[in-house]
Amino acid sequence: MRIANLTIIAVIFLAFQSEAKSIKIAEEAYKLVNLSIVKTHIRPRYVNFAIAGSNFHNHITKLCTDGSSGQLELSRTAFKTIVGAWMGIGHIQDGPVKLYMRQVRVQFWPDKRGRTGKQLRAFLEAADASVLGPKKFPRISIALQGFGVAERLLFMPRHSNHIIESPKGLRCKLLRAVANSLAQIGAQIVQEWGSGEGSFATEMRDAGQSLSRFNSHREVTVMLVNGLFTSLKFITDFKLDRILGKTIAKARPKRAESWLCGRSRQNIIDNLTALQALYKGENGGQGLEVLIPRDNERLGKLLTIAFDKTLRTARRHGMPLVRGVSDRTSRETLLILARQTRALKALVARELAPVLGTPLGFNALDGD
């Protein structure tokens, strides 16, 4: 009965698409919400990522000095923390994070062709630590620069055991370079989201003026709504459907994000929590919900219910994702979660975007 009820709810989400109307919203309204989101949502979450990056770098420095098993566990915890921080802000896909390929340098995933493993083997065979210098490292393969390689080094015994035995060896040198890069990227993004002249936040504030890349404040909101939709699509297509497969026999658990460190399910929860905060607002600030006209109040309530139910389902699935996709009971919950996330994505695309006057543009996930 519960499954049937949740399926009906997903259908109801889509049923409202015929009632969506494009509404004229004042530029000042867009501006106020955009600036509030920057102040109370985007900046704090990037600060959180930068702090986590600094902490991770400090722990890796200690690990690669004494090589103790205790420090390895602390480093693993710090890694999970920085991954969680990134999951909480990855939906902001424009601005400083796009510069210098920062986004993929932090996380190159999905790694469809196993490039991270191949590049790591090639690096260890070549034993050329000179590529880890501050000038060369940002230019080497992105598969060796972020979460993917750090996760392998920390959570695969054949690498982590070697780090403990040889803390000043090649693996640790690579791990330190990755941690340093992540810390630098976090600090740089925070600085570039500041309030000074030339910052991305200032360009958003001055939308419509000659020095801003944005022609209007509505255009800024379009960027935010696109990030919301694209993130929901990414969760559905890659974090759920891709690993579930069509049947239990075709499940692919090792395609899951962060499966080595056991964070796959929590990543999805963190993603959905962040997207809900973008929509509802947080830290006393406004979210996209504020822009929904009063005569579309039903849509606002529907989206609130949709986020709540989807997150409740994600949290209810207690088994690690890599086991859950092949367990009949847990898999059923994951299938429900996939349907709910898909319905939420459709609700954003077919209802919220038209009502806010923010048409969804082409994104890199289209057609996958």
Side-chain angles (χ1 to χ4, degrees):
M1 178 64 71
R2 176 180 294 178
I3 293 172
N5 287 341
L6 288 170
T7 303
I8 291 170
I9 289 170
V11 173
I12 290 174
F13 289 173
L14 298 175
F16 278 85
Q17 69 186 58
S18 62
E19 298 184 15
K21 297 178 182 179
S22 182
I23 305 297
K24 181 72 174 178
I25 299 173
E27 271 289 286
E28 187 63 21
Y30 287 122
K31 179 180 180 180
L32 290 175
V33 170
N34 295 339
L35 295 182
S36 180
I37 288 173
V38 170
K39 181 179 179 181
T40 62
H41 179 76
I42 296 176
R43 277 184 187 150
R45 286 175 175 271
Y46 272 130
V47 167
N48 187 41
F49 173 66
I51 292 171
S54 177
N55 183 54
F56 180 58
H57 180 241
N58 289 339
H59 278 292
I60 294 303
T61 299
K62 293 176 182 177
L63 173 64
C64 293
T65 299
D66 60 36
S68 70
S69 57
Q71 188 56 50
L72 174 62
E73 288 307 312
L74 290 172
S75 297
R76 286 172 169 173
T77 299
F79 175 76
K80 292 179 183 180
T81 300
I82 189 176
V83 171
W86 182 252
M87 294 301 129
I89 194 59
H91 55 283
I92 302 301
Q93 297 164 0
D94 206 342
V97 76
K98 287 184 68 175
L99 299 176
Y100 314 114
M101 298 182 70
R102 285 170 177 156
Q103 195 168 37
V104 289
R105 284 168 57 206
V106 170
Q107 186 184 28
F108 175 63
W109 190 87
D111 182 1
K112 296 180 181 179
R113 298 179 181 176
R115 286 176 58 186
T116 300
K118 294 174 184 176
Q119 292 289 339
L120 178 56
R121 285 194 296 273
F123 169 78
L124 293 174
E125 289 172 4
D128 180 12
S130 68
V131 299
L132 304 179
K135 291 185 178 179
K136 290 185 178 181
F137 188 69
R139 295 178 173 83
I140 68 171
S141 170
I142 55 174
L144 283 178
Q145 292 193 46
F147 292 161
V149 70
E151 185 178 18
R152 283 173 175 269
L153 290 171
L154 288 170
F155 291 90
M156 280 187 166
R158 69 173 178 267
H159 295 305
S160 60
N161 290 342
H162 199 284
I163 285 173
I164 292 175
E165 295 168 4
S166 180
K168 298 185 186 301
L170 199 58
R171 287 173 174 80
C172 245
K173 289 178 180 178
L174 173 58
L175 192 55
R176 290 184 75 162
V178 171
N180 181 60
S181 176
L182 291 171
Q184 286 187 349
I185 287 173
Q188 290 163 354
I189 290 176
V190 168
Q191 182 180 11
E192 291 164 25
W193 266 104
S195 56
E197 290 303 315
S199 73
F200 194 73
T202 301
E203 288 200 44
M204 290 175 66
R205 183 198 68 195
D206 296 340
Q209 298 183 26
S210 60
L211 295 180
S212 175
R213 75 188 70 183
F214 297 104
N215 295 318
S216 67
H217 294 290
R218 184 182 71 87
E219 192 175 292
V220 176
T221 310
V222 169
M223 175 194 77
L224 297 173
V225 176
N226 264 278
L228 174 61
F229 169 78
T230 302
S231 294
L232 287 169
K233 182 171 174 59
F234 197 81
I235 293 169
T236 302
D237 293 358
F238 292 103
K239 302 193 182 191
L240 290 169
D241 288 351
R242 185 169 180 260
I243 65 168
L244 282 163
K246 297 294 183 182
T247 66
I248 196 168
K250 294 183 178 180
R252 298 291 184 268
K254 291 187 179 180
R255 289 183 175 181
E257 180 185 44
S258 304
W259 71 273
L260 280 169
C261 68
R263 214 184 183 284
S264 306
R265 180 174 68 94
Q266 189 59 48
N267 282 3
I268 294 173
I269 293 172
D270 290 343
N271 290 155
L272 290 170
T273 301
L275 296 176
Q276 183 184 49
L278 174 62
Y279 170 69
K280 296 290 291 184
E282 63 179 335
N283 298 319
Q286 298 179 329
L288 295 171
E289 179 185 41
V290 174
L291 291 170
I292 298 176
R294 291 184 179 179
D295 58 356
N296 285 85
E297 189 175 299
R298 180 170 48 179
L299 172 60
K301 292 180 179 178
L302 185 61
L303 274 162
T304 296
I305 293 170
F307 269 115
D308 287 344
K309 286 189 174 294
T310 305
L311 265 166
R312 197 176 305 135
T313 302
R315 291 177 177 132
R316 190 171 74 239
H317 176 67
M319 184 179 289
L321 212 61
V322 291
R323 299 207 330 259
V325 293
S326 301
D327 176 88
R328 293 194 180 279
T329 301
S330 293
R331 180 181 174 83
E332 194 58 46
T333 303
L334 288 170
L335 289 170
I336 293 170
L337 177 61
R339 289 197 294 271
Q340 289 178 330
T341 307
R342 193 175 296 110
L344 183 55
K345 177 193 70 173
L347 194 58
V348 169
R350 301 173 188 177
E351 286 284 328
L352 182 65
V355 163
L356 298 187
T358 54
L360 298 173
F362 173 83
N363 67 84
L365 298 177
D366 286 337
D368 276 307

